[in-house]
Amino acid sequence: MADYKDLANLMFPDITETVDDLEKRYPARNLPEGAQVTRFAPSPTGFLHTGSLFTALVGFKYAKQSGGVYMFRLEDTDTKRTIAGSGDELIDQLGNFGIVADEGYWPDGDRGAYGPYQQSKRRDIYRTVIKHLVEQGKAYPDFCTAEDLEKIRAYQEANKILPGYYGEFARDRNLSVDEQIARINNGEPYVVRYKSHGDHNNKVSFVDAIRGKLDIAENDVDVVILKGDGLPTYHFAHVVDDHFMRTTLVSRGEEWIPSTPIHLDLFSALGWEPTKYAHLPVIMKLDNGNKRKLSKRKDPEAAVSYFLQEGYPTKGLLVYLMNIANSNFEEWTIANKDFELSHFQFSFEKMSLDGALFDIDKLQYFCREVLGAEHADTIVPAAKAWAKENNEKLYAKISADEAYVSRIVNIDKDKQNPRKDFANYAEIETKTRFFYDEDFAPIKAAGFPFNEKFDKEFVKSFLADCAENMIYGVDEMTWWNGVKDLAAKNGFATNNKEYKANPTAFKGNTGDAAELIRIALTGSKMAPNLHEVIEILGKDRVVARLLSAI
C-alpha cells in the first residue's frame, strides 16, 4: 500500500531539496533589535496606482526608521494579467519618489541574498514546500473539473449553504493515496489543494498593527495552492516568500482582511511564525455624495502618472500621502517646514481606520508648501525637466533665459514667510505670463480690472505721473516711499488712520494707489511683490506698460 511519501515523490519527482535545506539557504537576518523587514510586492499588471504608492511609502518608511530592510518583490504568478515590462516601470516610477529598495527585483538582476525576488523564478521553492505538505498529508491532488466545481457551487446555492470547497463539499480530499496515484498515472489533470482542518463556525484571532485584535471566522476552505500551470496561488506564494525572506511586517490594503485566516492557517500548517499584518485603509473618493474607492477606470488621479504629468512635485505628493497616513503629521509640519520625511516618526497607531478621502485641494496646499520652501536653483531645473516632456511653452521659456525664470520664481523667497504661488510646475508658466510681453498682450486686450470708484481720467493722470516719476533700481523701502509720495501728490492718504477718520477727503489710501500700478503692469489685482515685479520687468517695460494702460 502506497503512502503520502510515495504520492509526493510521484507528484514532484525532480524535487530533492527539503524545507530544512531552504531554512539553511535563507537563514534569519542579522539585524539590530527592533529592525523591521518590509516589502512592496506588486503584480506587474499595469501602472503604479496611487494606493500602491501609499502602500509602498508606508512599508519603506517603517523599515527605514527602524534601521531595517525594505524589499521589492514581483508577484507575477498570474500569467493572464501580467503585462510585460510593467514591473520595470513600477521600479522607475517608485524611484521618482525616492522609494528605492534595499534588495529585491531589479531589471538588470536581483540584488540581495534572499531571492529570487520574482515569483515566477521561485517555482522550485514553492514545489519543495508543497511536496513537504503532501508528505505530511496536509495537501492533496484535486481532479475536479470546472464543471464539477460548478455543480458543487450550484448545489450549495440552491440549498442556501455557504459556498466553497470545504468539508463534505471537498470532493477529492478523502481519496485514498492509491486512487490518487492511479489517477495521476492515468494522466488526469489536477491542481494541488491545501487540506484545511478549520471550522468557519469558530473564530481565529490576530493582532493587526493598525486595527488591534481582530476575530474572524476560521478558514476551512481547501484552497488551491498549486495551479494546473505549475505556479502557486497568491495565498500560498506570499506565505512562503514572506517566511523565507524573513519579512516581519506586511502592509497591504484592508480588502485582504477576509483572506488573512487562510494565510494564518497556512503558516500554522507549516509550523512557521506568521508575519505581522497592517491592513491599510483604502483611499476613497466622493462620487455624487457617496464614498467609493479610487477607480483605475474612472479616476485619473488613481494613477500616479497623472500627478507626474500635471507637474506636481514628487515630494509634495509624498507629503500629502503621509498626511493621510498619520493623524499627527500636519501638526508636525508646523515646526518642520523643510518637510523632510525621514525626520518624521511614522506610527501605525496614528493611522485612521476609515478610508481617507482623496482631497486635491489638500494636495495642492502641501505642494505649495513644499515648493514654497524651495529656491529657484532646485525648482527651475526640476520644472525644466518636467516641461521638456509635458509643457512645450514653459520649456521654451526656461531654455531661452533660465536666469530670468529663476528671478521670477525667487520673488519673496528669502522672507520669513516665503511666497507659495505654485502648486505644480505647470503653474510657473500660467501664473507668470505677465512677465512676457507676448503673453501680456492678450491680458491687456481683455481689459484691466481697475476699481470703478476711480474715474478713467484720474487713472490715466495717476499712471502718467507714475510713468514719469517712479524711481527704479533702489531697495524696496526707498521705492515704496517714492510710491507714497506719488500717491500723496495725487490725493491718496498715506496714513491709514487718517484715511479711515475722513475717507471722503481722499481718493483712497496708498494701497489703492499701489493696486492701480499693479493692475496696469500685471493685469491682475493678485500678483507677487510689486517692487520685485518692477525690478524684473525693468524701467523701460514698466513705463511702456503704464503708458499703454493709459
Side-chain angles (χ1 to χ4, degrees):
M1 180 180 291
D3 58 18
Y4 289 130
K5 200 170 190 70
D6 296 322
L7 175 62
N9 286 330
L10 176 64
M11 294 169 67
F12 303 100
D14 57 322
I15 296 297
T16 58
E17 198 169 32
T18 67
V19 170
D20 285 342
D21 293 329
L22 292 174
E23 297 286 1
K24 293 172 185 174
R25 196 200 310 175
Y26 302 112
R29 293 173 181 268
N30 184 19
L31 293 172
E33 182 73 23
Q36 301 293 322
V37 180
T38 67
R39 46 71 161 180
F40 179 54
S43 298
T45 56
F47 60 78
L48 181 62
H49 192 280
T50 302
S52 297
L53 176 61
F54 180 59
T55 301
L57 172 63
V58 168
F60 177 81
K61 184 76 178 81
Y62 191 60
K64 288 297 183 181
Q65 72 182 26
S66 69
V69 175
Y70 165 74
M71 291 182 292
F72 182 97
R73 185 172 76 223
L74 203 59
E75 299 195 339
D76 61 344
T77 58
D78 190 344
T79 54
K80 293 180 180 178
R81 295 178 62 233
T82 295
I83 298 174
S86 64
D88 298 356
E89 289 179 13
L90 290 173
I91 290 174
D92 288 342
Q93 288 179 315
L94 288 169
N96 288 332
F97 292 89
I99 299 177
V100 179
D102 299 302
E103 64 180 61
Y105 168 84
W106 290 80
D108 58 355
D110 285 350
R111 301 177 191 177
Y114 288 81
Y117 297 91
Q118 185 174 357
Q119 285 186 336
S120 59
K121 294 182 178 179
R122 297 174 63 82
R123 178 187 174 107
D124 282 351
I125 294 174
Y126 306 129
R127 295 171 76 236
T128 297
V129 179
I130 293 172
K131 182 177 183 179
H132 172 74
L133 288 174
V134 173
E135 288 175 339
Q136 294 187 319
K138 295 180 179 179
Y140 62 93
D142 178 77
F143 304 94
C144 280
T145 64
E147 292 77 15
D148 295 332
L149 295 174
E150 175 58 28
K151 288 178 183 177
I152 294 171
R153 188 200 63 78
Y155 176 83
Q156 292 170 328
E157 190 175 89
N159 290 277
K160 295 184 170 59
I161 298 170
L162 185 70
Y165 197 84
Y166 64 94
E168 64 182 293
F169 302 106
R171 192 196 71 181
D172 290 356
R173 69 177 283 156
N174 295 318
L175 293 176
S176 69
V177 172
D178 287 334
E179 185 172 354
Q180 290 169 334
I181 288 176
R183 296 180 73 166
I184 292 174
N185 285 330
N186 196 40
E188 291 188 43
Y190 63 90
V191 297
V192 180
R193 289 184 182 271
Y194 164 66
K195 185 183 288 186
S196 175
H197 292 284
D199 183 340
H200 63 254
N201 294 307
N202 297 331
K203 300 288 186 180
V204 61
S205 298
F206 71 98
V207 177
D208 184 278
I210 299 170
R211 300 155 196 278
K213 185 171 179 282
L214 296 178
D215 298 308
I216 308 180
E218 278 184 356
N219 171 63
D220 58 5
V221 175
D222 288 5
V223 294
V224 175
I225 57 177
L226 192 68
K227 298 176 293 183
D229 62 5
L231 289 172
T233 57
Y234 166 79
H235 293 306
F236 181 75
H238 103 272
V239 166
V240 173
D241 292 342
D242 286 329
H243 174 72
F244 286 119
M245 292 179 181
R246 308 303 175 181
T247 306
T248 62
L249 183 130
V250 172
S251 56
R252 61 186 185 184
E254 63 182 16
E255 66 270 19
W256 288 104
I257 291 176
S259 299
T260 305
I262 296 174
H263 308 149
L264 296 176
D265 198 4
L266 289 167
F267 273 114
S268 176
L270 288 161
W272 296 341
E273 184 73 21
T275 58
K276 291 185 174 63
Y277 289 101
H279 290 97
L280 308 179
V282 296
I283 300 177
M284 311 289 283
K285 181 177 181 175
L286 271 182
D287 188 355
N288 294 323
N290 299 313
K291 283 185 179 183
R292 63 167 174 78
K293 287 176 62 175
L294 276 180
S295 165
K296 292 182 180 182
R297 185 170 54 85
K298 297 179 181 178
D299 307 315
E301 61 269 39
V304 169
S305 57
Y306 166 79
F307 303 104
L308 299 179
Q309 290 163 5
E310 292 294 307
Y312 288 98
T314 54
K315 185 175 181 178
L317 183 54
L318 289 182
V319 167
Y320 171 66
L321 292 176
M322 189 56 72
N323 182 65
I324 290 177
N326 267 189
S327 59
N328 62 325
F329 178 76
E330 190 163 1
E331 180 182 355
W332 176 85
T333 65
I334 295 172
N336 294 272
K337 288 301 182 184
D338 60 356
F339 300 98
E340 182 50 61
L341 293 182
S342 63
H343 298 161
F344 175 70
Q345 191 69 16
F346 167 81
S347 169
F348 284 113
E349 287 75 17
K350 295 292 184 179
M351 291 196 85
S352 167
L353 298 184
D354 299 320
L357 281 175
F358 189 87
D359 186 344
I360 192 71
D361 292 333
K362 198 70 171 181
L363 168 66
Q364 291 178 343
Y365 162 78
F366 278 117
C367 286
R368 278 192 290 270
E369 291 286 316
V370 166
L371 290 178
E374 296 181 2
H375 277 69
D377 57 356
T378 58
I379 295 175
V380 175
K384 184 178 182 181
W386 169 80
K388 186 175 183 179
E389 301 294 331
N390 299 283
N391 190 311
E392 184 178 343
K393 195 166 186 178
L394 179 59
Y395 182 70
K397 287 178 176 180
I398 298 175
S399 298
D401 194 340
E402 190 164 329
Y404 184 68
V405 177
S406 294
R407 285 188 71 189
I408 296 169
V409 170
N410 265 344
I411 291 175
D412 278 353
K413 281 291 187 182
D414 293 321
K415 294 191 174 180
Q416 184 174 1
N417 294 306
R419 289 189 66 86
K420 298 159 186 173
D421 292 308
F422 313 118
N424 54 55
Y425 300 129
E427 290 186 345
I428 295 175
E429 196 280 318
T430 58
K431 291 187 174 181
T432 64
R433 286 176 179 168
F434 65 85
F435 281 103
Y436 295 86
D437 293 339
E438 66 273 19
D439 290 333
F440 187 67
I443 294 173
K444 181 177 70 172
F448 295 107
F450 293 123
N451 193 319
E452 291 182 357
K453 74 178 181 179
F454 302 117
D455 64 66
K456 290 183 179 180
E457 292 306 314
F458 173 76
V459 173
K460 290 179 180 180
S461 173
F462 175 65
L463 293 181
D465 196 3
C466 290
E468 184 175 352
N469 296 302
M470 194 160 57
I471 55 179
Y472 303 88
V474 294
D475 64 84
E476 187 172 356
M477 184 57 68
T478 303
W479 168 81
W480 179 243
N481 286 332
V483 171
K484 288 170 70 175
D485 290 341
L486 284 167
K489 176 183 172 184
N490 285 274
F492 291 94
T494 57
N495 183 299
N496 272 337
K497 186 176 181 181
E498 187 179 12
Y499 175 68
K500 288 180 179 179
N502 192 10
T504 59
F506 303 96
K507 290 288 186 180
N509 60 22
T510 311
D512 293 324
E515 183 180 273
L516 293 175
I517 300 171
R518 176 178 284 106
I519 291 171
L521 297 181
T522 70
S524 173
K525 296 177 182 180
M526 303 295 293
N529 182 300
L530 185 55
H531 171 255
E532 292 200 44
V533 169
I534 289 170
E535 290 301 305
I536 291 171
L537 287 173
K539 179 179 179 179
D540 291 345
R541 294 166 75 195
V542 169
V543 170
R545 289 192 183 188
L546 291 172
L547 295 176
S548 176
I550 294 171

